Amino acid sequence: MKAVLFDMDGILIDTEKYLTVYKQKAMREAGYRLDLETAYKFRSCASVFAREQMKGIFGEDFPYDELRRRRQELMSDHIARFGIEKKPYVEETIKELKRRGYQTAVVTATAEDRAVRYLEMVGFKELFDEIISASMVKLGKPRPDVYLYACEKIGRKPEECMAVEDSPNGVNAAYQAGCHVTMVPDLTPADEEVKKMADHVVPDLRGLLEYLRSTHEMRRADIQSPISAFMKKKNFIM
């Protein structure tokens, strides 16, 4: 593992819950009802896919783009009034990863200008080598394009990268790209389908560090004890 790629909303900043709340509010204003279970399915989902799916649920006349703009207005008003909450253990996790020589990048479904602004507001921007937005590629999450582009930008193969995601759409994108995946659930737990794609599920970013430490220690032990590993493989008794 050479690099760790972080989703932003729900992993670095505690904005995912408000994105859901204001999506529901925008739709209520227009006379639509969006239940939580359905709303959660669209976390980190690119608009090109969300638009089609929402029209399938609410009909071809569903004003997706208009309501998306309204949700963005409501979210902007909230951030202007209350600021942005940080998710726990971000700074110490990133600093420890950097100390151990990992590259770090943000890989987000949020538009580039807003992603940079949000990260600057909470003081996280300088922690990362790159900030990659799905607006930089043709198709966003759950397609793998944004993760493949991120790997290209940092000069790493997908199998050298760990993606850290909180939503099924994000996990799916990273998995399809060929990255290792750690899920840190935010609004919903990991279901069985997600567990098939994720290498590991941890409750917070401290769990990510513990997981990387354990795999590093196991690899180091294997490298330092090749004779022991060979004997174990051949079932020799010492």
Side-chain angles (χ1 to χ4, degrees):
M1 215 81 67
K2 303 294 185 182
V4 184
L5 313 177
F6 292 84
D7 179 41
M8 185 179 75
D9 297 286
I11 292 291
L12 304 176
I13 54 177
D14 199 8
T15 44
E16 198 70 73
K17 59 189 178 185
Y18 297 118
L19 289 167
T20 299
V21 165
Y22 291 124
K23 181 178 292 182
Q24 289 181 303
K25 183 175 181 180
M27 290 185 64
R28 280 198 307 273
E29 290 177 351
Y32 295 92
R33 181 182 177 276
L34 180 66
D35 62 81
L36 271 180
E37 183 179 358
T38 303
Y40 288 156
K41 292 179 181 178
F42 294 102
R43 289 177 297 149
S44 292
C45 186
S47 59
V48 65
F49 302 119
R51 182 185 297 106
E52 180 181 344
Q53 293 176 44
M54 295 286 267
K55 285 180 178 290
I57 296 171
F58 297 103
E60 282 300 315
D61 293 332
F62 179 74
Y64 174 84
D65 295 300
E66 178 184 330
L67 296 183
R68 183 168 178 260
R69 284 192 294 271
R70 177 56 179 154
R71 189 264 297 163
Q72 290 172 345
E73 289 174 0
L74 292 167
M75 188 71 182
S76 294
D77 289 344
H78 175 94
I79 289 172
R81 292 175 63 195
F82 303 106
I84 296 175
E85 301 167 56
K86 302 176 183 180
K87 294 293 282 188
Y89 314 116
V90 174
E91 285 117 323
E92 49 264 58
T93 297
I94 306 302
K95 288 176 181 178
E96 177 66 9
L97 290 172
K98 302 286 275 188
R99 189 184 73 80
R100 289 175 173 267
Y102 290 96
Q103 291 174 273
T104 59
V106 176
V107 182
T108 178
T110 299
E112 181 183 8
D113 59 339
R114 278 187 285 122
V116 170
R117 185 167 71 253
Y118 291 172
L119 293 169
E120 286 177 336
M121 287 177 69
V122 294
F124 289 169
K125 181 176 179 290
E126 301 307 318
L127 294 175
F128 297 96
D129 300 310
E130 294 283 349
I131 298 172
I132 309 298
S133 165
S135 61
M136 300 174 178
V137 297
K138 184 176 180 180
L139 295 173
K141 303 174 186 180
R143 293 290 290 273
D145 304 41
V146 67
Y147 273 106
L148 292 171
Y149 180 67
C151 293
E152 181 183 331
K153 283 284 287 183
I154 65 172
R156 296 295 179 186
K157 298 175 183 178
E159 59 267 28
E160 295 177 313
C161 300
M162 171 66 75
V164 185
E165 281 280 355
D166 69 293
S167 70
N169 285 318
V171 169
N172 193 6
Y175 176 78
Q176 287 190 66
C179 298
H180 300 276
V181 188
T182 290
M183 185 182 188
V184 184
D186 182 29
L187 298 179
T188 56
D191 60 22
E192 291 307 310
E193 196 61 33
V194 165
K195 289 177 181 178
K196 293 176 184 176
M197 295 184 284
D199 296 56
H200 207 53
V201 179
V202 296
D204 53 46
L205 290 181
R206 288 180 305 181
L208 169 67
L209 282 180
E210 291 167 6
Y211 175 62
L212 290 174
R213 285 191 191 112
S214 69
T215 55
H216 174 78
E217 290 304 318
M218 285 189 291
R219 283 200 308 274
R220 188 171 66 179
D222 287 342
I223 292 169
Q224 290 177 344
S225 304
I227 297 175
S228 296
F230 176 80
M231 289 182 171
K232 183 177 180 181
K233 184 177 180 182
K234 295 298 183 181
N235 295 317
F236 289 143
I237 298 175
M238 297 182 68

